[in-house]
Amino acid sequence: MKILVCGGAGYIGSHMVKLLASSGYDVVTFDNLSSGHREAVKWGRLIEGDLLNPNDLENVFLNNEFDLVMHFSAKSIVPESMENPSLYYNNNIVGTINLLDMMVKYDVKKFIFSSTAATYGIPETSEIPEEHKTVPINPYGHSKLMVEQILQRYYEAYRLSSVTFRYFNAAGADPEGDIGENHDPETHLIPNILKSLLEDNASLKVFGDDYATPDGTCVRDYVHVNDLAAAHLLGANYLHDKTGAHLFNLGSGSGYSVLEVIKAAEVAVGKPISYSVEQRRAGDPDTLIANSTKARTILGWKPDFDNINDIVGTAWKWHSAKG
């Protein structure tokens, strides 16, 4: 089985490529390297190109026969999406349509899409099921929701089947230390906590301490990046004999506040961590916790990393080795 991984040089995509290669799949990475890293593509071939350039896509599909496409190429920084929605609608929607159209042209019928819990907006329940209403409060979440709706239409019109995964907070690193989380700029909590210890000019900022949560800081559901990759492999297997546009949440089902994550990092590194409290970031809801019963029941997905200490520990191992 030959799989194209768009965004395979990025954080989640590179972990996916490693799992696919180690599982015996023939994998090709397509990435423009705008936020991904060439050195993260250690398995399979890397083809440089941009989803916004149809000619780049044409060359890939003309010279390869794929059984399935996985799509991780997205802009995903919430504050940036608030400031520059055009960038997000073009990259996340237009780029995806270009990819889907090329799949239709070359008769590739299986697609796995990485979406986000940001599609839900402000949650109305303590745990969010897939049936929760979707009213995203930022352009990032809106762009992902629009693609989800497009995928339903592409199945109805072209019989292009898909599995969409709504991630909660991806976290952690490859336990073997081959790859990890390396964004520039870095906006995710755990790597910023660890960078505040490893980089001379880095400082840790907590954005808001007046949310409607027990300690006033945002509560999030953290799911290990390897567990996300494992779910995608299960999704690929699911599409062997299932058609349609399918949707699953991916999260641990446990919520941790920013301050609780900092405490977990203190355990991992063995010393106190200092931080400053700043104003809230636009577009951040108080709490996001997944109900992933559907993925567990239908796909048989079971996260291997089920507590925040283990997740932070893998991140610290990679970041501290990287220096």
Side-chain angles (χ1 to χ4, degrees):
M1 191 172 183
K2 190 168 186 176
I3 297 178
L4 175 65
V5 179
C6 297
Y11 172 41
I12 302 172
S14 61
H15 287 78
M16 186 73 249
V17 169
K18 179 179 180 180
L19 177 60
L20 288 170
S22 65
S23 300
Y25 292 89
D26 183 1
V27 58
V28 174
T29 290
F30 180 79
D31 203 298
N32 66 6
L33 301 179
S34 62
S35 57
H37 305 275
R38 186 184 303 275
E39 61 272 19
V41 186
K42 302 180 180 182
W43 307 271
R45 289 188 294 136
L46 168 64
I47 300 175
E48 289 187 56
D50 198 308
L51 294 179
L52 293 176
N53 187 340
N55 289 333
D56 290 348
L57 281 169
E58 185 85 55
N59 289 333
V60 173
F61 282 85
L62 186 63
N63 295 299
N64 298 274
E65 292 186 5
F66 298 109
D67 300 290
L68 181 144
V69 175
M70 295 184 178
H71 181 22
F72 300 90
S73 298
K75 298 290 185 183
S76 60
I77 301 173
V78 168
E80 182 183 54
S81 79
M82 300 289 283
E83 297 166 1
N84 190 0
S86 174
L87 175 66
Y88 277 68
Y89 291 129
N90 273 287
N91 186 88
N92 295 359
I93 300 174
V94 176
T96 303
I97 290 173
N98 288 344
L99 175 59
L100 294 174
D101 285 349
M102 203 61 63
M103 291 178 63
V104 171
K105 180 176 180 179
Y106 285 89
D107 199 33
V108 183
K109 297 295 189 181
K110 299 174 183 177
F111 184 68
I112 298 185
F113 178 59
S114 57
S115 189
T116 172
T119 55
Y120 293 116
I122 304 298
E124 296 182 339
T125 57
S126 57
E127 289 189 2
I128 307 171
E130 288 85 355
E131 296 78 20
H132 188 287
K133 71 178 184 180
T134 48
V135 188
I137 62 173
N138 53 64
Y140 166 57
H142 189 210
S143 70
K144 290 286 193 173
L145 180 60
M146 291 178 72
V147 172
E148 292 181 12
Q149 295 166 342
I150 288 167
L151 288 175
Q152 179 62 43
R153 298 303 184 190
Y154 269 62
Y155 172 69
E156 293 167 0
Y158 310 117
R159 287 298 182 262
L160 192 160
S161 292
S162 61
V163 168
T164 291
F165 290 114
R166 286 178 179 161
Y167 303 163
F168 282 63
N169 279 47
D174 171 38
E176 296 176 354
D178 286 329
I179 43 180
E181 189 167 9
N182 186 18
H183 300 116
D184 185 20
E186 185 57 72
T187 61
H188 291 174
L189 176 61
I190 292 173
N192 275 330
I193 293 172
L194 303 179
K195 282 187 172 187
S196 74
L197 300 171
L198 294 169
E199 297 182 1
D200 292 337
N201 297 321
S203 60
L204 178 61
K205 297 177 180 179
V206 173
F207 294 98
D209 62 355
D210 59 347
Y211 287 92
T213 61
D215 63 21
T217 62
C218 287
V219 171
R220 294 291 182 267
D221 182 331
Y222 294 89
V223 55
H224 194 276
V225 62
N226 274 20
D227 288 326
L228 292 178
H232 282 68
L233 195 52
L234 292 170
N237 293 332
Y238 187 70
L239 287 178
H240 281 322
D241 54 7
K242 298 289 184 181
T243 59
H246 308 278
L247 172 68
F248 300 92
N249 281 342
L250 292 181
S252 68
S254 300
Y256 297 94
S257 72
V258 172
L259 296 185
E260 287 174 326
V261 177
I262 291 173
K263 289 177 182 177
E266 290 177 338
V267 171
V269 305
K271 62 181 180 180
I273 297 172
S274 60
Y275 60 88
S276 62
V277 177
E278 309 290 333
Q279 289 184 339
R280 292 186 184 200
R281 295 181 301 190
D284 273 346
D286 300 67
T287 302
L288 288 173
I289 302 174
N291 181 329
S292 299
T293 301
K294 185 178 177 183
R296 293 170 185 263
T297 303
I298 295 177
L299 299 180
W301 180 65
K302 185 179 183 300
D304 289 329
F305 296 85
D306 59 2
N307 71 76
I308 194 64
N309 289 336
D310 290 344
I311 292 172
V312 174
T314 63
W316 174 244
K317 178 181 178 181
W318 185 80
H319 279 279
S320 58
K322 178 174 173 285

